[in-house]
Amino acid sequence: MNVDRCDTTTSLLGSRIAAPIGVAPMAYHRLAHPDGELATAEAVSSIGGPFVVSIFATQPLADIAKYTTGPLWLQIYWLRQRDALAGLVRRAEEAGFGAIVLTVDTQKVARRLRDISNGFALPAGVSAVNLDMSVMASAHDADDGSSAIERHSREQFDRTITWADLSWLRELSTLPLLIKGILTAEDARLAVDHGVDGIIVSNHGGRQLDGVASGIGALPEVVDAVDGRLPVLMDGGVRSGTDVFRALALGASTVLIGRPVLWGLAAGGATGAGDVLRMLRDELVECMTLAGRPTVADIDATAVRLGR
């Protein structure tokens, strides 16, 4: 194969993107850098990938949109206050967001021992500015020996929802709907049956339930179950461009990056986060070159060998 020039462009939900690498939804970017999601948006725009903005973003949705050139999606948890959730989805659509991502593996934030021992709570000046303070108040309320984030999720996340509730969410917006947190073929088929537009294979960074499958481990069976009927993305555990290549070879349409982006953001704002993403893209190109795969479409299951 001629690999003099490798091409990372691909398509995602009908749009062309410059690289199959984007930013996974992560809350409270201003904990890492004062510019928060504005800097992250600038960083991901430098490689032309998608940015999935958290429901708990610390910058206004409309401002984030001004810094973004690639696909911009909003991630949500299902709140007990449905009017607050509905208002957020509508504002995202008005701001030019292109899709909604519903996280389904977090009925509550798990018991995270480090947060409990630290008595973690949001500091003054950092908040989810796109949600009313009535939704966010307890996230700032620290008690010794507890996690305000975990307590906040118990109070605000609706644990009663089922697949049937997706119809209510669909009525709010015409935007494509993706489901994040799928790890099994059974749930993948249910997602297809309920008309979602995409799946994100994810174990929430390994922070919800010990012992669950990794994203890369679950990816093949989800891709097989979907059978090309909708795009399958993946996040979690990606630390190199070779990791991106492996996920693409196993059927991922795009790979979303989490913690490394925040590390870059903390170290150097938009430049630091952008350096991380550009490094991953460049490593992907090198892997494509050495593996003899000049385009993203050429990266298929023949490029990897699964362990026995």
Side-chain angles (χ1 to χ4, degrees):
M1 299 286 281
N2 183 344
V3 291
D4 183 52
R5 290 189 179 182
C6 288
D7 183 6
T8 62
T9 60
T10 187
S11 61
L12 181 63
L13 289 182
S15 298
R16 294 295 290 175
I17 56 175
I21 300 170
V23 174
M26 297 174 287
Y28 308 119
H29 288 207
R30 289 193 65 232
L31 288 173
H33 189 275
D35 293 338
E37 290 80 8
L38 303 184
T40 309
E42 183 178 338
V44 70
S45 293
S46 73
I47 65 162
F51 180 19
V52 188
V53 177
S54 169
I55 186 174
F56 298 127
T58 54
Q59 297 283 8
L61 298 181
D63 290 350
I64 297 170
K66 295 175 184 177
Y67 283 76
T68 307
T69 58
L72 185 62
W73 302 348
L74 174 69
Q75 174 268 341
I76 60 173
Y77 297 106
W78 202 294
L79 302 176
R80 295 180 189 272
Q81 296 186 37
R82 288 203 178 190
D83 56 342
L85 185 61
L88 181 64
V89 169
R90 293 189 184 106
R91 291 199 305 278
E93 188 166 13
E94 291 169 359
F97 281 60
I100 301 298
V101 175
L102 174 64
T103 296
V104 295
D105 62 1
T106 311
Q107 296 83 352
K108 61 179 285 296
V109 169
R111 187 170 181 267
R112 299 171 185 169
L113 297 181
R114 184 178 299 172
D115 288 350
I116 292 171
S117 64
N118 292 337
F120 181 76
L122 291 178
V126 175
S127 187
V129 298
N130 298 293
L131 291 170
D132 188 271
M133 196 58 195
S134 65
V135 176
M136 291 304 304
S138 60
H140 294 266
D141 184 15
D143 288 326
D144 290 339
S146 70
S147 163
I149 298 298
E150 188 268 337
R151 187 173 63 253
H152 170 259
S153 73
R154 278 189 279 113
E155 295 172 359
Q156 298 296 337
F157 292 4
D158 188 347
R159 297 191 292 275
T160 70
I161 63 167
T162 68
W163 288 101
D165 290 289
L166 290 183
S167 59
W168 177 85
L169 185 57
R170 283 288 201 187
E171 291 173 0
L172 294 179
S173 170
T174 60
L175 294 177
L177 174 64
L178 294 89
I179 300 294
K180 178 180 181 292
I182 299 295
L183 290 171
T184 66
E186 293 83 356
D187 278 341
R189 284 191 284 267
L190 281 168
V192 172
D193 291 343
H194 285 83
V196 305
D197 301 290
I199 286 173
I200 302 177
V201 175
S202 173
N203 70 1
H204 212 103
R207 295 176 300 142
Q208 278 298 99
L209 181 63
D210 289 346
V212 299
S214 66
I216 195 72
L219 181 61
E221 73 169 82
V222 172
V223 169
D224 286 346
V226 167
D227 194 25
R229 289 173 287 181
L230 47 79
V232 176
L233 294 79
M234 192 207 81
D235 71 16
V238 178
R239 298 295 181 266
S240 70
T242 305
D243 289 340
V244 174
F245 183 95
R246 292 188 184 105
L248 296 173
L250 293 175
S253 300
T254 298
V255 180
L256 303 177
I257 314 300
R259 288 181 180 91
V261 173
L262 287 186
W263 297 336
L265 184 66
T271 300
D275 285 345
V276 168
L277 291 166
R278 289 186 290 272
M279 178 182 68
L280 291 171
R281 180 201 57 199
D282 293 346
E283 290 173 350
L284 171 61
V285 170
E286 180 171 78
C287 190
M288 292 169 67
T289 302
L290 298 177
R293 311 288 167 142
T295 71
V296 172
D298 293 317
I299 306 173
D300 58 19
T302 65
V304 293
R305 180 177 296 171
L306 298 179
R308 297 193 195 340

